């Protein structure tokens, strides 16, 4: 490799290879072979990058992957607009147009976390409460919208993990969840879960990343009497329009979207 003869060149070669490899990460022997370096040299470079937060190591799988600090730097260099910045005008437009409370949710492992909220005039109770609140994927409109638009393998993993956590909600079993996911995927929005919080209802749409899978969601929280089938269609169209606009402008280096377990409150 033409740029690997210097220390800096070798470091960048390692980073480029990690970026080009599997998103789960690479083992030391595979990485060393890919960048044509002796294993001890690759190991030393990886530990130097780990010390700066540019690379992370999973001791369980022995995989190395790009670190959070690298994504933070890239986000600052590439764009000052993170997900909350991008979505905020849309949240305000939706609240003004609908007179409802609007939530911005992002996936965080097996949960969804609220990272922004635009309050409407009505008092609303929700699973997440205010900014920073979390809810299991599959519970509530936004979290169901995210789950329905994940890859099949990730959906299976989420269901296996979350079903035992849902025991308090007796209406939820695997058959119900899978049927609801299929329905939401087909119509493009989630309008179920009415009645889980007495008097409350809502509607959620996914925000899709460049690969077509959900990374976040927009949702409306309202009262059951206001969420009629006719009005739901209007609400869904407005939310889909805003979600599509946000999706087109997502910064791929935004730390909140880096991977399922890395939602960051900024």
């Amino acid at each position: 490799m033409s740029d690997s003869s210097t220390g800096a060149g070798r470091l960048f070669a390692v980073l480029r290879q990690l970026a080009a490899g599997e998103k789960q990460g690479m083992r030391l022997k595979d990485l060393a072979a890919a960048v044509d370096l002796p294993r001890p040299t690759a190991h030393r470079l990886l530990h130097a990058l780990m010390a700066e937060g540019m690379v992370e190591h999973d001791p369980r799988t022995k995989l190395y992957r790009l670190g959070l600090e690298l994504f933070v730097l890239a986000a600052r260099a590439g764009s000052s607009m993170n997900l909350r910045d991008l979505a905020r005008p849309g949240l305000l437009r939706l609240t003004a147009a609908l007179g409802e409370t609007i939530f911005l949710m992002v996936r965080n492992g097996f949960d969804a976390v609220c990272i922004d909220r635009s309050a409407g005039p009505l008092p609303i109770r929700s699973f997440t409460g205010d900014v920073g609140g979390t809810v299991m994927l599959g519970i509530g409109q936004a979290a169901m919208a995210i789950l329905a638009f994940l890859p099949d393998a990730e959906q299976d993993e989420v269901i296996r993990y979350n079903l035992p956590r849902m025991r308090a909600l007796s209406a939820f079993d695997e058959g119900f969840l899978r049927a609801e996911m299929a329905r939401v995927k087909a119509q493009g929005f989630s309008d179920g879960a009415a009645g889980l919080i007495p008097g409350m209802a809502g509607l959620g749409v996914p925000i899709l990343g460049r690969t077509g899978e959900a990374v976040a969601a927009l949702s409306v929280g309202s009262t059951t009497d206001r969420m009629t089938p006719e009005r739901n269609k209007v609400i869904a169209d407005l939310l889909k329009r805003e979600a599509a606009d946000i999706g087109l402008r997502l910064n791929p280096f935004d730390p909140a979207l880096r991977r399922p377990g890395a939602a960051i409150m900024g």
Side-chain angles (χ1 to χ4, degrees):
M1 297 182 306
S2 60
D3 66 345
S4 65
S5 58
T6 66
R10 290 176 175 181
L11 287 170
F12 281 114
V14 168
L15 291 173
R16 290 191 184 103
Q17 185 58 47
L18 287 174
E22 296 292 328
K23 67 178 181 179
Q24 292 84 2
M26 296 183 69
R27 289 180 176 269
L28 173 61
K29 65 176 183 178
D30 298 325
L31 179 61
V35 297
D36 194 23
L37 288 173
R39 198 177 301 185
T41 302
H43 187 262
R44 176 174 55 79
L45 294 174
L46 284 167
H47 275 259
L49 291 166
M50 288 170 59
E52 298 297 330
M54 302 296 174
V55 168
E56 295 174 353
H57 179 242
D58 186 336
R60 182 177 58 86
T61 62
K62 302 187 185 304
L63 295 175
Y64 293 88
R65 63 189 176 200
L66 296 179
L68 179 59
E69 185 62 25
L70 182 66
F71 284 81
V72 172
L73 291 175
R76 290 172 179 168
S79 172
S80 61
M81 298 289 282
N82 58 33
L83 176 58
R84 291 178 71 188
D85 294 331
L86 289 172
R88 187 63 183 171
L91 266 64
L92 296 176
R93 283 193 295 268
L94 288 167
T95 295
L98 297 170
E100 305 286 5
T101 297
I102 311 296
F103 298 88
L104 173 63
M105 308 285 291
V106 66
R107 184 185 176 190
N108 186 23
F110 298 103
D111 299 324
V113 58
C114 178
I115 63 171
D116 204 359
R117 179 178 184 265
S118 175
L122 299 176
I124 294 297
R125 289 177 293 150
S126 70
F127 291 108
T128 55
D130 211 332
V131 174
T134 63
V135 64
M136 289 177 280
L137 290 179
I139 300 293
Q141 294 82 20
M144 174 56 77
I146 293 173
L147 179 59
F149 284 82
L150 293 180
D152 292 346
E154 293 189 33
Q155 289 178 341
D156 293 343
E157 185 180 7
V158 169
I159 289 173
R160 281 195 300 270
Y161 186 84
N162 278 355
L163 267 179
R165 305 166 69 200
M166 295 178 179
R167 286 176 182 153
L169 302 170
S170 58
F172 285 78
D173 58 25
E174 184 168 355
F176 172 84
L177 280 175
R178 292 194 181 277
E180 184 67 6
M181 285 157 50
R183 186 182 74 86
V184 170
K185 185 75 176 285
Q187 71 180 11
F189 62 91
S190 172
D191 58 351
L196 289 178
I197 299 179
M200 297 292 108
L203 187 148
V205 304
I207 297 173
L208 304 181
R210 300 189 182 197
T211 61
E213 65 187 68
V215 296
L218 293 174
S219 68
V220 166
S222 187
T223 56
T224 52
D225 61 304
R226 290 173 62 84
M227 301 300 289
T228 63
E230 296 77 17
R231 190 164 184 258
N232 279 3
K233 185 179 185 308
V234 174
I235 292 172
D237 288 344
L238 289 174
L239 263 66
K240 285 180 180 180
R241 187 184 312 162
E242 294 289 354
D245 180 65
I246 295 167
L248 289 174
R249 298 186 295 129
L250 285 176
N251 177 2
F253 295 109
D254 185 346
L257 307 179
R258 173 173 167 256
R259 64 175 189 272
I264 290 179
M265 304 296 294

